[in-house]
Amino acid sequence: MIRKATRADIDAIMDITKACAIHMINQNIFQWNEHYPNRAAFENDVRRDELYVLDIDNSISGCIVISTVMDKEYEPIKWLTPNENNIYIHRLAVDPKYQGQGYAQQLMDFAENYAIENNYTSIRLDTFSQNKRNQKFYELRGYQRLGNIYFPKQSEFPFYCYERII
């Protein structure tokens, strides 16, 4: 089940994202670290009513942020659609013990259905240039790679921006 997150869920979400960071680092993917994702980001997501959790057997096992706010880092990108009616996906995570079972697909299906039901024009997101698995995941779902952005606290390598028109 996917539901809106509450402040009470943030500890579990932090545990999942830390486990994901370790899992990626063990695969030489230095995408998440001690700076990101952080508690303040998730608290802000809850405040804005944009954070959702995946609940498996009454245990939080994943999360996704569906936002209408475009981060300033996205401004230089030449998007496929005007910056008027878009949603942005951030902090998609599935507990490593549940990865490979289709839960990330379910979270993205949820976000894409949300975009369709609410008449958004497109979905935008970014993923780490060194994370080939994520790139393939989004490209197979019809997302187009458009440009690079940088998050210096996370990596010297770029993050690729993607968009899918709904």
Side-chain angles (χ1 to χ4, degrees), residues 31 73-74 77 79 89-90 124-136 138-139 143-151 156-163:
Q31 177 173 340
E73 290 86 358
Y74 283 15
I77 300 299
W79 297 102
I89 302 300
H90 299 295
R124 298 170 175 179
L125 53 86
D126 67 79
T127 196
F128 190 45
S129 62
Q130 305 301 297
N131 193 332
K132 304 298 183 202
R133 182 177 175 199
N134 277 9
Q135 293 166 40
K136 183 177 179 183
Y138 293 120
E139 289 166 7
Y143 289 80
Q144 294 181 54
R145 185 174 143 198
L146 301 173
N148 300 348
I149 58 175
Y150 290 86
F151 297 103
E156 64 188 61
F157 295 105
F159 285 70
Y160 297 154
C161 289
Y162 286 85
E163 184 172 22

Side-chain angles (χ1 to χ4, degrees), residues 1-4 16 20 32 50-56 60-66 87 89-95 98-99 101-115 123 125 137-138 141 143:
M1 170 182 78
I2 298 171
R3 64 169 173 80
K4 282 230 170 129
I16 290 166
C20 287
W32 286 356
E50 298 176 339
L51 178 60
Y52 295 83
V53 292
L54 172 67
D55 190 317
I56 302 172
I60 295 172
S61 306
C63 65
I64 190 169
V65 175
I66 305 172
I87 62 169
I89 302 300
H90 299 295
R91 296 178 279 290
L92 171 61
V94 175
D95 188 318
Y98 291 107
Q99 289 181 6
Q101 298 178 45
Y103 292 117
Q105 295 274 9
Q106 285 182 28
L107 286 162
M108 283 303 296
D109 289 346
F110 178 83
E112 290 165 0
N113 288 333
Y114 178 92
I123 301 172
L125 53 86
F137 174 76
Y138 293 120
R141 295 185 72 86
Y143 289 80

Side-chain angles (χ1 to χ4, degrees), residues 16-81:
I16 290 166
T17 56
K18 285 178 186 170
C20 287
I22 291 167
H23 185 69
M24 287 187 284
I25 289 166
N26 288 339
Q27 297 175 41
N28 292 316
I29 301 170
F30 300 94
Q31 177 173 340
W32 286 356
N33 57 31
E34 70 276 9
H35 301 291
Y36 185 88
N38 57 53
R39 178 175 295 279
F42 288 119
E43 288 173 352
N44 190 45
D45 297 334
V46 169
R47 241 186 332 275
R48 292 197 317 216
D49 220 19
E50 298 176 339
L51 178 60
Y52 295 83
V53 292
L54 172 67
D55 190 317
I56 302 172
D57 299 326
N58 295 315
S59 177
I60 295 172
S61 306
C63 65
I64 190 169
V65 175
I66 305 172
S67 179
T68 57
V69 177
M70 183 169 85
D71 293 343
K72 68 179 180 349
E73 290 86 358
Y74 283 15
E75 291 172 5
I77 300 299
K78 287 192 63 84
W79 297 102
L80 301 172
T81 61

